[in-house]
Structure formats: structure tokens, C-alpha cells
């Protein structure tokens, strides 16, 4: 058995490389998740609040059908993102005291991923609406595509590359003599 392990992961009383029990690991993962959600949730709530106010601006009446439709899609995406990013609170309340912390963390983490995807889509559609109204240019779609590619690079590609590098580094190590 590798150093730092006292049993297979996933079994009762199992220890991970951090020498923490399954419950300690779930507590740590929950706290990490809450810190992550605080950042994303605040951004989604501010964006959603701004989007709700747009309809009351005088210029909104001048928008064409496509831009009004885009606005509706953007607001709905914002509402869905806000709901998904706030869902871990509800899960915690429903799961509290039932000794289901690992399941809580897994379910909440999946909802946060969904919320982040919805948030990225909200930002993209809000940016498209803003750039179309501000510039009236067909270049708005290209700019938004570039921004969404940047999101994909920062949120997916770079972490995946880092994980691969870490995995390759670990595979290249030789056991200590």
C-alpha cells in the first residue's frame, strides 16, 4: 500500500493522501465548494439584478425583435444560473443532520458546474446584446465568440492541461528506493 494510505478510498474509515477521514474530507470539500460558490454567486446576482433593470430603460422600447428575444433569453439564463448557484444552500438545509455530507458535496458540486455553465452563457448573451445595441455591428458576434473562447480556455482548457501535466509528472516518477 502506498505511503500515507491506510485503506482503499471510499471505504468506511478510509484515509486519503491528506490523512483525513471520509467525514473530514467531505467537510473540507464542502468548505472549498462554499468559497467557490461565494465568488460565482455574487457575480451572477449582480449581473441578474442589472439585467432586470434593463427593461425599464427608455432605450429598451427601441429594440428590435431579435434583441428583445435575446434579452429574454439572457434574463432566463441569468435566473437559471442564480438558481443553480444558490441551490447548495437548499441542499444543505435538506441534508443537514442526515449524515450525508459526501452525497451533499457531490450533488452541490454538480449544480455549481451547471451554474457556472449557465453563468458563462448569461455573460455571453448579455455581452452580445450590449455590443449589438452599442455598436450595431455584425462584429459583435465575433467579439462574443472570442470572449466565450477565452472563458472556455480559462475555465476548462487550462485546468485540463494542468491536470494532464500533473498526471504526467506523477507517472514519470520512480518509486523511492
Amino acid at each position: 500500500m502506498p505511503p500515507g494510505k491506510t485503506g482503499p478510498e471510499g471505504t468506511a474509515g478510509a484515509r486519503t493522501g491528506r490523512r483525513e477521514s471520509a467525514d473530514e474530507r467531505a467537510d473540507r470539500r464542502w468548505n472549498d465548494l462554499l468559497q467557490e460558490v461565494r465568488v460565482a454567486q455574487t457575480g451572477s446576482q449582480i449581473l441578474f439584478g442589472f439585467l432586470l433593470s434593463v427593461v425599464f430603460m427608455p432605450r429598451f422600447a427601441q429594440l428590435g425583435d431579435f434583441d428583445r428575444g435575446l434579452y429574454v433569453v439572457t434574463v432566463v439564463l441569468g435566473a437559471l444560473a442564480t438558481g443553480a448557484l444558490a441551490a447548495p444552500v437548499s441542499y444543505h438545509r435538506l441534508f443537514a443532520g442526515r449524515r450525508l455530507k459526501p452525497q451533499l458535496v457531490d450533488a452541490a458540486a454538480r449544480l455549481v458546474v451547471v451554474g457556472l455553465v449557465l453563468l458563462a452563457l448569461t455573460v455571453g448573451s448579455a455581452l452580445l446584446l450590449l455590443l449589438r445595441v452599442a455598436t450595431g455591428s455584425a462584429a459583435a458576434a465575433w467579439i462574443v465568440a472570442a470572449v466565450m473562447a477565452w472563458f472556455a480556455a480559462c475555465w476548462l482548457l487550462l485546468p485540463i492541461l494542468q491536470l494532464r501535466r500533473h498526471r504526467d509528472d506523477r507517472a514519470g516518477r520512480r518509486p523511492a528506493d
Side-chain angles (χ1 to χ4, degrees), residues 5-6 9 20 31 34-35 40 62-63 80 83-84 96 100 107 113 116 122 144-145 148 158-159:
K5 302 270 185 186
T6 58
E9 286 185 85
E20 57 191 2
N31 287 329
L34 287 181
Q35 293 300 326
Q62 298 171 3
L63 293 181
L80 294 172
L100 296 171
V113 169
L116 289 173
T122 304
V144 171
M148 297 309 290
L158 293 175

Side-chain angles (χ1 to χ4, degrees), residues 19-117:
R19 297 187 179 270
E20 57 191 2
S21 69
D23 288 340
E24 290 167 336
R25 181 171 188 259
D27 288 341
R28 178 182 51 79
R29 288 182 63 221
W30 177 249
N31 287 329
D32 290 349
L33 184 67
L34 287 181
Q35 293 300 326
E36 295 162 2
V37 168
R38 284 184 181 115
V39 172
Q41 191 180 62
T42 301
S44 80
Q45 290 171 340
I46 290 169
L47 177 59
F48 185 60
F50 168 75
L51 289 170
L52 292 177
S53 69
V54 168
V55 75
F56 298 105
M57 304 285 177
R59 183 133 185 227
F60 185 81
Q62 298 171 3
L63 293 181
D65 289 342
F66 179 82
D67 290 332
R68 283 177 186 252
L70 182 56
Y71 171 76
V72 169
V73 167
T74 303
V75 169
V76 169
L77 286 169
L80 294 172
T82 300
L85 292 170
V89 174
S90 174
Y91 264 70
H92 186 263
R93 282 297 92 217
L94 292 170
F95 280 44
R98 298 177 193 253
R99 299 180 187 263
L100 296 171
K101 182 73 73 84
Q103 293 84 350
L104 162 68
V105 174
D106 291 340
R110 285 190 293 274
L111 279 166
V112 169
V113 169
V114 169
L116 289 173
V117 169

